Amino acid sequence: MSAFVVYLFLQNQSPEEEQKAKASATLVNTQIVSPSSLVRQVTSLGTALANESVQIVTNNSDYLTGLHINEGQRVEKGQLIAQLNDVEERARVAELSASLLDQKRQLNRVKNLAKTQATAQSLLDEQQTRVNITQAQLDAVKARLNEMTIRAPFSGVLGLRQVSEGAYLTSGTVLTTLDDLNLIRLEFSIAEYYLAQLKPGMTVNSSSVAYPGKVFTGQIKAIDTRLDPVTRSVKVHALVPNDQLELRPGMLLNVSVTLDELQALQISEKAIVPLQNKHYVFVVNKDNSVTQTEVQLGQRMPGLVEIVSGLNAGDEVVIEGTTKIRSGSLITKVGQ
């Protein structure tokens, strides 16, 4: 009889306790932890450089007789850019060519004489020396003559001209610049932490404030063999196609390098509760209580954070209302 009374008492109390529990439970939003696609990236600031870039200068001093610089226009490799006065060099080439031709004829006569007279061997050696000296002089003058004609060393775009036709130029005078802009060499630095993950051929995305919303994609071409001992970073060069010539040398670009693509656990960053040097989340139990659990964080994305350890796929965590609860608190879920 007494056992029956106790049973009725417990039955009568449980609804009240349940109501009290519900009244004391905290309203929260939760999220089910599940794996999703994650792109590991590292970001940096980079500078655009021309793939090939030179200053067009003179190697000799003389008057500028011809200037073929269309500023901002494309030229092909070998195309004429400037011409210096070369009258003296042409005359000298003609003189030495004639002299060389005469000396070669004399050399042939001495060779025929040496076949019958042994004493002619010394004359043969002397004449051969004269031919060699004249040939060397002719080669030197021809080289100087070629330097009076300035041609594009590679295909590219000409910059602003720095001289005028008819001016007397000294050796080393800058005429203009030449840049190969079809490919941009993007230079940026990456922290030492990511060095082992960097490889030539990786995809590089870049953007500029000059072209909002546009992404310029390229690939890593080279990684420096040395790190900066001050910043502990490594310099990286990437090649970015620039067919429309939108990018210019000297531009500042925002750079992101795709290191890896994988499936990883990600949750809302609002679920993270930082405490000193550690990070925690509130995991929902089957009885709607929560347990504060330490987690290790990985890469952060806008609004999301990767969970390296501490959670499993299928776990449920609190993402809103974390400031109102503690480990062991009862919750009422109002959304997921």
Side-chain angles (χ1 to χ4, degrees):
M1 181 66 177
S2 60
F4 179 71
V5 173
V6 172
Y7 171 77
L8 290 178
F9 176 79
L10 292 176
Q11 286 291 97
N12 291 333
Q13 292 297 315
S14 59
E16 295 178 0
E17 293 177 353
E18 183 177 354
Q19 290 178 0
K20 290 181 181 180
K22 288 183 178 180
S24 63
T26 304
L27 300 179
V28 297
N29 285 341
T30 62
Q31 174 188 1
I32 301 297
V33 179
S34 61
S36 57
S37 179
L38 172 64
V39 178
R40 294 193 186 278
Q41 293 182 330
V42 58
T43 59
S44 180
L45 289 176
T47 301
L49 307 172
N51 185 41
E52 301 288 350
S53 180
V54 295
Q55 288 184 324
I56 305 298
V57 300
T58 59
N59 288 331
N60 295 291
S61 300
D62 217 312
Y63 288 97
L64 183 62
T65 59
L67 187 61
H68 307 275
I69 296 177
N70 295 319
E71 297 170 320
Q73 298 299 310
R74 180 175 176 80
V75 295
E76 300 302 323
K77 181 179 180 179
Q79 186 171 329
L80 180 64
I81 293 179
Q83 178 67 56
L84 296 178
N85 180 27
D86 60 358
V87 174
E88 180 180 346
E89 286 74 19
R90 289 182 181 276
R92 184 61 175 158
V93 167
E95 176 187 358
L96 289 174
S97 296
S99 177
L100 181 63
L101 182 62
D102 180 64
Q103 290 179 8
K104 285 183 176 179
R105 284 197 296 264
Q106 294 183 33
L107 179 62
N108 289 332
R109 287 196 295 268
V110 173
K111 284 182 178 179
N112 292 331
L113 184 62
K115 293 178 181 179
T116 58
Q117 300 180 20
T119 57
Q121 183 62 45
S122 60
L123 296 176
L124 177 63
D125 294 340
E126 291 178 2
Q127 188 59 35
Q128 182 65 61
T129 300
R130 294 191 187 97
V131 169
N132 294 341
I133 292 174
T134 304
Q135 181 67 62
Q137 292 175 340
L138 179 59
D139 292 341
V141 175
K142 283 183 175 181
R144 179 178 170 82
L145 177 61
N146 288 335
E147 291 176 351
M148 308 304 281
T149 301
I150 301 174
R151 300 182 180 276
F154 53 83
S155 299
V157 178
L158 292 173
L160 302 178
R161 67 181 177 88
Q162 306 296 323
V163 296
S164 298
E165 189 170 324
Y168 183 84
L169 305 181
T170 58
S171 177
T173 300
V174 178
L175 305 181
T176 186
T177 58
L178 179 64
D179 296 313
D180 176 10
L181 300 181
N182 285 334
L183 274 178
I184 287 293
R185 185 177 290 270
L186 181 56
E187 181 180 276
F188 55 97
S189 296
I190 296 296
E192 178 184 4
Y193 176 83
Y194 300 101
L195 179 61
Q197 303 175 60
L198 291 176
K199 295 178 182 178
M202 280 185 166
T203 300
V204 175
N205 292 319
S206 58
S207 61
S208 168
V209 294
Y211 305 99
K214 186 162 187 177
V215 176
F216 300 91
T217 302
Q219 291 184 330
I220 291 179
K221 177 65 176 179
I223 302 170
D224 201 352
T225 56
R226 298 182 179 182
L227 272 72
D228 188 316
V230 177
T231 63
R232 302 300 177 185
S233 61
V234 63
K235 190 173 293 184
V236 181
H237 279 188
L239 292 182
V240 180
N242 189 37
D243 296 336
Q244 303 302 317
L245 304 185
E246 294 171 308
L247 299 178
R248 300 297 178 90
M251 292 180 71
L252 179 68
L253 298 174
N254 294 307
V255 182
S256 65
V257 180
T258 300
L259 300 176
D260 195 10
E261 296 185 17
L262 69 161
Q263 294 292 312
L265 298 180
Q266 301 178 68
I267 62 173
S268 172
E269 62 182 4
K270 294 184 294 184
I272 303 300
V273 179
L275 185 60
Q276 295 181 350
N277 295 327
K278 298 182 179 181
H279 298 87
Y280 298 88
V281 297
F282 286 104
V283 178
V284 180
N285 302 316
K286 292 182 179 181
D287 60 355
N288 283 338
S289 64
V290 294
T291 301
Q292 186 173 334
T293 303
E294 183 181 355
V295 293
Q296 297 296 323
L297 306 185
Q299 181 174 327
R300 290 182 179 269
M301 289 70 64
L304 296 173
V305 62
E306 178 193 5
I307 301 299
V308 177
S309 64
L311 292 177
N312 297 311
D315 288 345
E316 187 175 8
V317 296
V318 176
I319 60 173
E320 289 185 2
T322 55
T323 58
K324 303 176 184 179
I325 58 178
R326 61 183 180 180
S327 190
S329 297
L330 294 178
I331 63 165
T332 298
K333 293 177 282 185
V334 296
Q336 289 186 350

